[in-house]
Amino acid sequence: MAKPHTQTCPIAGFLNTFGDAWTLLIIREAFYGATRFSEFQRNTGIARNLLTDRLTSLVDQGLLEREDIGEHGTRYAYQLTEKGRSLVPVFVAMVQWSNENIYSEADAPVHLIERKTKKPLKPMRPVSTRGQELVWGDIVAIPGPGANRAAIARIDASQPADNLSWTS
Amino acid sequence: MAKPHTQTCPIAGFLNTFGDAWTLLIIREAFYGATRFSEFQRNTGIARNLLTDRLTSLVDQGLLEREDIGEHGTRYAYQLTEKGRSLVPVFVAMVQWSNENIYSEADAPVHLIERKTKKPLKPMRPVSTRGQELVWGDIVAIPGPGANRAAIARIDASQPADNLSWTS
DNA sequence: TCACCAAGTTGCAAAACGCAACCAAAACAG
DNA sequence: CTGTTTTGGTTGCGTTTTGCAACTTGGTGA
Protein backbone atom coordinates (compact mmCIF):
# COMPACT_ATOMS: atom_id res chain seq x y z
CA MET A 1 0.00 0.00 0.00
CA ALA A 2 0.95 3.60 -0.50
CA LYS A 3 0.89 4.23 3.22
CA PRO A 4 -0.22 1.56 5.70
CA HIS A 5 -3.04 2.47 8.04
CA THR A 6 -1.89 3.47 11.49
CA GLN A 7 -5.27 3.35 13.19
CA THR A 8 -5.60 0.82 15.98
CA CYS A 9 -8.52 -0.98 14.38
CA PRO A 10 -9.18 -4.55 13.28
CA ILE A 11 -10.45 -3.45 9.88
CA ALA A 12 -7.52 -1.12 9.28
CA GLY A 13 -5.18 -3.94 10.33
CA PHE A 14 -6.91 -6.35 8.02
CA LEU A 15 -6.58 -3.89 5.14
CA ASN A 16 -2.87 -3.44 5.76
CA THR A 17 -2.48 -7.05 4.69
CA PHE A 18 -5.41 -7.65 2.37
CA GLY A 19 -6.36 -4.17 1.16
CA ASP A 20 -5.25 -4.56 -2.43
CA ALA A 21 -6.51 -6.12 -5.61
CA TRP A 22 -4.50 -9.34 -5.57
CA THR A 23 -3.64 -10.69 -2.13
CA LEU A 24 -7.01 -12.31 -1.51
CA LEU A 25 -6.97 -13.84 -4.97
CA ILE A 26 -3.71 -15.52 -4.04
CA ILE A 27 -5.30 -16.75 -0.82
CA ARG A 28 -8.22 -18.07 -2.87
CA GLU A 29 -5.82 -20.06 -5.01
CA ALA A 30 -4.08 -21.38 -1.93
CA PHE A 31 -7.45 -22.56 -0.58
CA TYR A 32 -8.23 -24.15 -3.93
CA GLY A 33 -4.96 -26.03 -3.70
CA ALA A 34 -2.41 -24.03 -5.69
CA THR A 35 1.13 -24.20 -4.37
CA ARG A 36 3.43 -23.15 -7.21
CA PHE A 37 4.50 -19.69 -8.40
CA SER A 38 3.37 -20.36 -11.95
CA GLU A 39 0.09 -21.83 -10.78
CA PHE A 40 -0.77 -18.68 -8.83
CA GLN A 41 0.30 -16.62 -11.82
CA ARG A 42 -1.78 -18.51 -14.37
CA ASN A 43 -4.90 -18.84 -12.24
CA THR A 44 -5.06 -15.22 -11.10
CA GLY A 45 -3.49 -13.33 -14.01
CA ILE A 46 -1.32 -11.26 -11.67
CA ALA A 47 1.92 -9.81 -13.08
CA ARG A 48 5.02 -11.78 -12.13
CA ASN A 49 6.72 -8.94 -10.26
CA LEU A 50 3.61 -8.28 -8.19
CA LEU A 51 3.24 -11.97 -7.46
CA THR A 52 6.81 -12.05 -6.16
CA ASP A 53 6.04 -9.09 -3.89
CA ARG A 54 2.80 -10.49 -2.57
CA LEU A 55 4.11 -14.01 -1.95
CA THR A 56 7.12 -12.63 -0.10
CA SER A 57 4.87 -10.45 1.99
CA LEU A 58 2.46 -13.28 2.78
CA VAL A 59 5.35 -15.52 3.79
CA ASP A 60 6.79 -12.72 5.97
CA GLN A 61 3.46 -12.35 7.70
CA GLY A 62 3.18 -16.04 8.38
CA LEU A 63 0.16 -16.68 6.18
CA LEU A 64 2.04 -18.82 3.67
CA GLU A 65 5.07 -21.03 4.00
CA ARG A 66 7.61 -21.41 1.20
CA GLU A 67 9.10 -24.85 0.95
CA ASP A 68 11.95 -25.76 -1.38
CA ILE A 69 10.81 -28.83 -3.29
CA GLY A 70 13.64 -28.52 -5.79
CA GLU A 71 15.55 -31.72 -5.35
CA HIS A 72 15.60 -31.34 -9.10
CA GLY A 73 15.47 -27.79 -10.42
CA THR A 74 13.99 -24.56 -9.18
CA ARG A 75 10.76 -25.52 -7.49
CA TYR A 76 9.01 -24.06 -4.50
CA ALA A 77 5.71 -24.89 -2.87
CA TYR A 78 3.74 -22.16 -1.14
CA GLN A 79 1.38 -23.57 1.46
CA LEU A 80 -1.14 -21.99 3.79
CA THR A 81 -0.02 -21.94 7.39
CA GLU A 82 -2.46 -22.45 10.25
CA LYS A 83 -2.81 -18.66 10.41
CA GLY A 84 -3.58 -18.66 6.70
CA ARG A 85 -6.16 -21.41 7.04
CA SER A 86 -7.81 -19.42 9.83
CA LEU A 87 -9.03 -17.06 7.11
CA VAL A 88 -11.69 -19.62 6.17
CA PRO A 89 -14.55 -17.78 7.91
CA VAL A 90 -13.66 -14.52 6.14
CA PHE A 91 -13.27 -16.35 2.84
CA VAL A 92 -16.61 -18.14 3.13
CA ALA A 93 -18.38 -14.96 4.25
CA MET A 94 -17.05 -13.13 1.20
CA VAL A 95 -18.04 -15.88 -1.22
CA GLN A 96 -21.52 -16.01 0.25
CA TRP A 97 -21.91 -12.23 0.14
CA SER A 98 -20.88 -12.08 -3.49
CA ASN A 99 -23.10 -14.98 -4.46
CA GLU A 100 -26.03 -13.26 -2.79
CA ASN A 101 -25.30 -9.71 -3.89
CA ILE A 102 -23.32 -9.63 -7.12
CA TYR A 103 -24.76 -12.50 -9.08
CA SER A 104 -28.42 -12.91 -9.73
CA GLU A 105 -30.33 -15.54 -7.84
CA ALA A 106 -29.13 -18.81 -9.36
CA ASP A 107 -26.13 -17.52 -11.30
CA ALA A 108 -23.37 -17.96 -8.77
CA PRO A 109 -20.12 -19.03 -10.43
CA VAL A 110 -18.99 -21.09 -7.44
CA HIS A 111 -20.79 -22.85 -4.64
CA LEU A 112 -19.25 -23.99 -1.40
CA ILE A 113 -20.71 -27.30 -0.32
CA GLU A 114 -20.14 -29.68 2.51
CA ARG A 115 -17.92 -32.47 1.21
CA LYS A 116 -19.79 -35.18 3.07
CA THR A 117 -23.40 -34.30 2.32
CA LYS A 118 -22.81 -32.27 -0.88
CA LYS A 119 -25.21 -29.68 0.47
CA PRO A 120 -24.50 -25.94 0.40
CA LEU A 121 -23.23 -24.37 3.60
CA LYS A 122 -25.54 -22.45 5.85
CA PRO A 123 -25.27 -18.68 5.24
CA MET A 124 -22.86 -17.31 7.83
CA ARG A 125 -24.41 -14.76 10.19
CA PRO A 126 -23.13 -13.26 13.41
CA VAL A 127 -24.61 -15.06 16.38
CA SER A 128 -24.73 -14.46 20.11
CA THR A 129 -23.08 -16.78 22.61
CA ARG A 130 -26.40 -18.59 22.82
CA GLY A 131 -26.56 -19.08 19.08
CA GLN A 132 -29.11 -16.37 18.33
CA GLU A 133 -28.67 -14.79 14.86
CA LEU A 134 -27.96 -11.08 15.12
CA VAL A 135 -28.42 -8.11 12.80
CA TRP A 136 -26.22 -5.03 13.05
CA GLY A 137 -28.67 -3.31 15.36
CA ASP A 138 -28.13 -6.04 17.93
CA ILE A 139 -24.39 -5.50 17.92
CA VAL A 140 -22.31 -2.81 19.58
CA ALA A 141 -18.64 -2.05 19.11
CA ILE A 142 -16.84 -1.15 22.29
CA PRO A 143 -13.19 -0.22 22.87
CA GLY A 144 -11.18 -3.28 23.88
CA PRO A 145 -8.12 -3.53 26.13
CA GLY A 146 -5.85 -2.49 23.27
CA ALA A 147 -7.69 0.67 22.30
CA ASN A 148 -5.74 3.91 22.47
CA ARG A 149 -7.22 7.35 22.95
CA ALA A 150 -7.84 7.87 19.24
CA ALA A 151 -9.59 4.53 18.85
CA ILE A 152 -11.81 5.16 21.86
CA ALA A 153 -12.73 8.59 20.53
CA ARG A 154 -13.56 7.18 17.08
CA ILE A 155 -15.75 4.41 18.43
CA ASP A 156 -17.53 6.41 21.11
CA ALA A 157 -18.07 9.35 18.75
CA SER A 158 -20.58 7.46 16.72
CA GLN A 159 -21.77 4.79 19.12
CA PRO A 160 -22.39 6.45 22.48
CA ALA A 161 -21.79 3.40 24.63
CA ASP A 162 -23.98 3.78 27.67
CA ASN A 163 -21.72 2.45 30.36
CA LEU A 164 -20.69 -0.57 28.37
CA SER A 165 -17.51 -2.16 29.50
CA TRP A 166 -15.94 -5.21 28.05
CA THR A 167 -16.33 -8.39 30.03
CA SER A 168 -14.70 -11.53 28.83
CA MET B 1 -8.42 -0.30 -9.41
CA ALA B 2 -6.01 -0.26 -12.29
CA LYS B 3 -7.90 -2.96 -14.12
CA PRO B 4 -10.94 -4.67 -12.64
CA HIS B 5 -10.85 -8.45 -12.41
CA THR B 6 -12.70 -10.18 -15.20
CA GLN B 7 -12.74 -13.65 -13.69
CA THR B 8 -16.16 -15.05 -12.93
CA CYS B 9 -15.47 -15.57 -9.26
CA PRO B 10 -17.08 -14.36 -6.03
CA ILE B 11 -13.73 -13.31 -4.57
CA ALA B 12 -12.68 -11.46 -7.72
CA GLY B 13 -16.08 -9.77 -7.77
CA PHE B 14 -15.75 -8.80 -4.14
CA LEU B 15 -12.32 -7.33 -4.80
CA ASN B 16 -13.61 -5.25 -7.69
CA THR B 17 -15.58 -3.32 -5.12
CA PHE B 18 -13.58 -3.69 -1.93
CA GLY B 19 -10.06 -4.48 -3.14
CA ASP B 20 -8.43 -1.23 -2.13
CA ALA B 21 -7.14 0.41 1.00
CA TRP B 22 -10.08 2.66 1.83
CA THR B 23 -13.47 1.33 0.78
CA LEU B 24 -13.91 -1.00 3.74
CA LEU B 25 -12.80 1.72 6.13
CA ILE B 26 -15.65 3.84 4.79
CA ILE B 27 -18.02 0.92 5.30
CA ARG B 28 -16.70 0.57 8.84
CA GLU B 29 -17.53 4.19 9.51
CA ALA B 30 -20.98 3.74 8.04
CA PHE B 31 -21.54 0.80 10.40
CA TYR B 32 -20.32 2.89 13.31
CA GLY B 33 -22.85 5.53 12.40
CA ALA B 34 -21.02 8.10 10.26
CA THR B 35 -23.13 9.76 7.59
CA ARG B 36 -21.37 12.99 6.62
CA PHE B 37 -18.53 13.59 4.14
CA SER B 38 -16.41 15.34 6.74
CA GLU B 39 -17.10 12.64 9.30
CA PHE B 40 -15.81 9.92 6.96
CA GLN B 41 -12.83 12.09 6.16
CA ARG B 42 -11.87 12.82 9.75
CA ASN B 43 -12.42 9.31 11.06
CA THR B 44 -10.53 7.49 8.30
CA GLY B 45 -7.89 10.02 7.27
CA ILE B 46 -8.60 9.43 3.57
CA ALA B 47 -7.77 12.23 1.13
CA ARG B 48 -10.77 14.31 0.10
CA ASN B 49 -10.53 13.53 -3.62
CA LEU B 50 -10.35 9.80 -2.93
CA LEU B 51 -13.28 10.04 -0.56
CA THR B 52 -15.32 11.71 -3.30
CA ASP B 53 -14.40 8.87 -5.67
CA ARG B 54 -15.20 6.11 -3.21
CA LEU B 55 -18.47 7.56 -1.99
CA THR B 56 -19.66 8.08 -5.57
CA SER B 57 -18.70 4.55 -6.44
CA LEU B 58 -20.40 3.09 -3.35
CA VAL B 59 -23.56 5.03 -4.13
CA ASP B 60 -23.43 3.88 -7.77
CA GLN B 61 -23.17 0.30 -6.60
CA GLY B 62 -26.11 0.64 -4.27
CA LEU B 63 -24.18 0.13 -1.05
CA LEU B 64 -24.70 3.67 0.21
CA GLU B 65 -27.46 6.17 -0.40
CA ARG B 66 -26.82 9.92 -0.62
CA GLU B 67 -29.60 12.03 0.83
CA ASP B 68 -29.71 15.80 0.56
CA ILE B 69 -30.29 17.09 4.07
CA GLY B 70 -29.44 20.63 3.06
CA GLU B 71 -32.62 22.52 3.76
CA HIS B 72 -29.99 24.88 5.08
CA GLY B 73 -26.61 24.78 3.38
CA THR B 74 -24.64 22.11 1.62
CA ARG B 75 -25.30 18.98 3.60
CA TYR B 76 -25.57 15.38 2.56
CA ALA B 77 -26.06 12.19 4.53
CA TYR B 78 -24.59 8.93 3.28
CA GLN B 79 -26.44 5.93 4.64
CA LEU B 80 -25.97 2.20 4.26
CA THR B 81 -28.57 0.59 2.04
CA GLU B 82 -29.93 -2.88 2.74
CA LYS B 83 -27.24 -4.23 0.40
CA GLY B 84 -24.66 -2.33 2.41
CA ARG B 85 -25.96 -3.64 5.72
CA SER B 86 -25.78 -7.16 4.32
CA LEU B 87 -21.99 -6.87 4.63
CA VAL B 88 -22.33 -7.44 8.38
CA PRO B 89 -21.19 -11.09 8.27
CA VAL B 90 -18.08 -10.15 6.29
CA PHE B 91 -17.41 -7.21 8.57
CA VAL B 92 -17.77 -9.28 11.74
CA ALA B 93 -15.65 -12.11 10.33
CA MET B 94 -12.87 -9.64 9.52
CA VAL B 95 -12.97 -8.02 12.95
CA GLN B 96 -12.84 -11.41 14.64
CA TRP B 97 -9.99 -12.60 12.42
CA SER B 98 -7.93 -9.50 13.17
CA ASN B 99 -8.64 -9.66 16.87
CA GLU B 100 -7.52 -13.29 16.91
CA ASN B 101 -4.56 -12.99 14.55
CA ILE B 102 -3.13 -9.48 14.56
CA TYR B 103 -3.46 -8.44 18.16
CA SER B 104 -2.17 -10.50 21.01
CA GLU B 105 -4.65 -12.36 23.14
CA ALA B 106 -6.29 -9.63 25.21
CA ASP B 107 -5.11 -6.60 23.24
CA ALA B 108 -7.93 -6.21 20.77
CA PRO B 109 -8.69 -2.55 20.08
CA VAL B 110 -12.39 -3.20 19.52
CA HIS B 111 -14.82 -5.85 20.67
CA LEU B 112 -18.17 -6.58 19.13
CA ILE B 113 -20.70 -7.46 21.79
CA GLU B 114 -24.36 -8.29 21.84
CA ARG B 115 -26.23 -5.14 22.81
CA LYS B 116 -28.69 -6.97 25.01
CA THR B 117 -26.43 -9.24 27.01
CA LYS B 118 -23.19 -7.26 26.62
CA LYS B 119 -21.43 -10.52 25.90
CA PRO B 120 -18.97 -10.95 23.00
CA LEU B 121 -20.31 -12.60 19.86
CA LYS B 122 -19.60 -16.21 19.13
CA PRO B 123 -16.66 -16.61 16.73
CA MET B 124 -18.12 -17.00 13.24
CA ARG B 125 -17.32 -20.31 11.57
CA PRO B 126 -18.70 -21.95 8.46
CA VAL B 127 -21.36 -24.48 9.36
CA SER B 128 -23.25 -27.16 7.52
CA THR B 129 -27.00 -27.01 7.00
CA ARG B 130 -27.31 -29.03 10.19
CA GLY B 131 -25.25 -26.54 12.16
CA GLN B 132 -22.05 -28.57 12.27
CA GLU B 133 -18.90 -26.41 12.38
CA LEU B 134 -16.67 -27.06 9.37
CA VAL B 135 -12.99 -26.64 8.66
CA TRP B 136 -11.67 -26.08 5.14
CA GLY B 137 -11.13 -29.77 4.59
CA ASP B 138 -14.85 -30.37 5.01
CA ILE B 139 -15.69 -27.86 2.30
CA VAL B 140 -15.53 -28.22 -1.48
CA ALA B 141 -15.88 -25.52 -4.11
CA ILE B 142 -17.86 -26.58 -7.14
CA PRO B 143 -18.79 -24.64 -10.28
CA GLY B 144 -22.23 -23.10 -9.94
CA PRO B 145 -24.83 -22.36 -12.61
CA GLY B 146 -23.05 -19.13 -13.58
CA ALA B 147 -19.61 -20.64 -14.10
CA ASN B 148 -18.09 -20.20 -17.54
CA ARG B 149 -15.47 -22.48 -19.08
CA ALA B 150 -12.55 -20.62 -17.52
CA ALA B 151 -14.09 -20.72 -14.06
CA ILE B 152 -14.81 -24.42 -14.30
CA ALA B 153 -11.26 -25.10 -15.44
CA ARG B 154 -9.82 -23.04 -12.60
CA ILE B 155 -11.89 -24.73 -9.93
CA ASP B 156 -11.57 -28.28 -11.22
CA ALA B 157 -7.85 -27.86 -11.88
CA SER B 158 -7.05 -27.85 -8.19
CA GLN B 159 -10.05 -29.57 -6.70
CA PRO B 160 -10.82 -32.65 -8.79
CA ALA B 161 -14.53 -32.82 -8.04
CA ASP B 162 -15.49 -36.46 -8.19
CA ASN B 163 -18.88 -36.22 -9.81
CA LEU B 164 -20.05 -33.42 -7.63
CA SER B 165 -22.92 -31.45 -9.01
CA TRP B 166 -24.69 -28.63 -7.38
CA THR B 167 -28.05 -29.37 -5.85
CA SER B 168 -30.00 -26.57 -4.25
C1' DT C 1 24.62 -29.27 -27.39
C1' DC C 2 20.25 -27.09 -27.74
C1' DA C 3 15.76 -26.19 -26.48
C1' DC C 4 12.82 -25.69 -22.38
C1' DC C 5 10.98 -24.79 -17.81
C1' DA C 6 10.50 -22.62 -13.13
C1' DA C 7 10.95 -18.73 -10.66
C1' DG C 8 12.21 -14.72 -10.61
C1' DT C 9 14.34 -9.62 -11.85
C1' DT C 10 14.56 -5.33 -14.53
C1' DG C 11 12.93 -1.27 -17.12
C1' DC C 12 9.53 1.68 -18.38
C1' DA C 13 5.02 3.85 -19.38
C1' DA C 14 0.45 4.48 -17.42
C1' DA C 15 -2.55 4.74 -13.58
C1' DA C 16 -3.60 5.61 -8.80
C1' DC C 17 -2.48 7.92 -4.62
C1' DG C 18 -1.49 11.80 -1.23
C1' DC C 19 -1.28 16.38 -0.28
C1' DA C 20 -2.14 21.12 -0.40
C1' DA C 21 -4.51 24.83 -2.51
C1' DC C 22 -8.52 26.54 -4.44
C1' DC C 23 -13.74 27.13 -5.01
C1' DA C 24 -18.89 27.86 -4.47
C1' DA C 25 -23.03 28.04 -1.86
C1' DA C 26 -25.21 28.89 2.24
C1' DA C 27 -25.26 30.20 7.03
C1' DC C 28 -23.58 32.95 10.87
C1' DA C 29 -21.41 36.92 13.46
C1' DG C 30 -21.12 41.59 14.23
C1' DC D 1 -25.10 43.89 4.76
C1' DT D 2 -20.32 42.67 4.92
C1' DG D 3 -16.78 39.45 6.36
C1' DT D 4 -15.92 34.85 8.15
C1' DT D 5 -17.09 29.83 8.66
C1' DT D 6 -18.67 25.47 7.34
C1' DT D 7 -19.64 21.86 4.06
C1' DG D 8 -18.61 19.32 0.25
C1' DG D 9 -16.26 19.23 -2.94
C1' DT D 10 -12.45 20.05 -7.42
C1' DT D 11 -7.79 20.91 -9.36
C1' DG D 12 -2.78 20.43 -9.89
C1' DC D 13 1.14 18.12 -9.24
C1' DG D 14 4.82 15.17 -7.47
C1' DT D 15 5.38 10.33 -5.70
C1' DT D 16 4.13 5.35 -5.66
C1' DT D 17 2.21 1.42 -7.45
C1' DT D 18 0.69 -1.18 -11.44
C1' DG D 19 0.93 -3.75 -15.72
C1' DC D 20 3.48 -5.52 -19.31
C1' DA D 21 7.24 -7.25 -21.84
C1' DA D 22 11.95 -8.59 -22.00
C1' DC D 23 15.74 -10.60 -19.82
C1' DT D 24 18.19 -13.86 -16.36
C1' DT D 25 19.63 -17.87 -13.79
C1' DG D 26 19.83 -22.62 -12.56
C1' DG D 27 18.61 -27.00 -13.74
C1' DT D 28 16.35 -30.91 -17.00
C1' DG D 29 15.45 -33.74 -21.01
C1' DA D 30 16.31 -35.18 -25.80
Side-chain angles (χ1 to χ4, degrees), chain A residues 109-110, chain B residues 8 142-159:
Chain A
V110 175
Chain B
T8 308
I142 57 164
N148 54 23
R149 196 175 299 107
I152 292 172
R154 230 187 320 108
I155 299 161
D156 286 351
S158 37
Q159 283 199 336

Side-chain angles (χ1 to χ4, degrees), chain B residues 5-65:
Chain B
H5 296 298
T6 55
Q7 290 187 335
T8 308
C9 160
I11 297 292
F14 186 90
L15 290 172
N16 280 339
T17 298
F18 303 105
D20 78 292
W22 294 108
T23 301
L24 280 167
L25 233 48
I26 293 170
I27 297 291
R28 175 196 75 186
E29 282 307 306
F31 274 123
Y32 285 0
T35 61
R36 308 289 295 280
F37 184 93
S38 43
E39 219 170 346
F40 288 107
Q41 205 275 315
R42 264 199 317 279
N43 293 350
T44 62
I46 191 176
R48 289 155 150 342
N49 54 343
L50 299 189
L51 180 54
T52 302
D53 277 7
R54 299 303 191 276
L55 287 175
T56 305
S57 161
L58 286 169
V59 169
D60 287 350
Q61 294 176 74
L63 292 157
L64 291 180
E65 233 167 12

Side-chain angles (χ1 to χ4, degrees), chain A residues 5 7 9-10 21 28 31-32 43 86 97-98 103 106 109 111 113 115 118 136-138 140 142 144-146 158 164, chain B residues 1 5 7 9-10 21 28 31-32 43 86 97-98 103 106 108-109 111 113 115 118 136-138 140 142 144-145 158 164:
Chain A
H5 295 297
Q7 289 188 336
C9 161
R28 175 197 75 186
F31 274 123
Y32 285 0
N43 294 349
S86 76
W97 186 85
S98 292
Y103 306 101
H111 278 283
I113 63 172
R115 185 185 299 276
K118 298 186 171 136
W136 179 246
D138 302 325
V140 189
I142 57 165
S158 38
L164 295 173
Chain B
M1 260 191 305
H5 296 298
Q7 290 187 335
C9 160
R28 175 196 75 186
F31 274 123
Y32 285 0
N43 293 350
S86 77
W97 185 86
S98 292
Y103 306 101
H111 279 283
I113 63 172
R115 186 186 296 276
K118 298 184 169 136
W136 180 245
D138 303 325
V140 189
I142 57 164
S158 37
L164 294 174

Side-chain angles (χ1 to χ4, degrees), chain A residues 68-82:
Chain A
D68 189 337
I69 55 171
E71 289 107 46
H72 310 297
T74 312
R75 258 140 245 255
Y76 298 100
Y78 293 90
Q79 313 241 36
L80 284 168
T81 60
E82 185 48 41

Side-chain angles (χ1 to χ4, degrees), chain B residues 58-76:
Chain B
L58 286 169
V59 169
D60 287 350
Q61 294 176 74
L63 292 157
L64 291 180
E65 233 167 12
R66 185 173 98 145
E67 188 194 351
D68 188 337
I69 54 170
E71 289 109 46
H72 310 297
T74 312
R75 257 139 245 255
Y76 298 100

Side-chain angles (χ1 to χ4, degrees), chain A residues 97-116:
Chain A
W97 186 85
S98 292
N99 281 350
E100 291 164 19
N101 289 279
I102 298 183
Y103 306 101
S104 60
E105 196 56 20
D107 270 356
V110 175
H111 278 283
L112 300 180
I113 63 172
E114 190 187 0
R115 185 185 299 276
K116 212 169 49 185

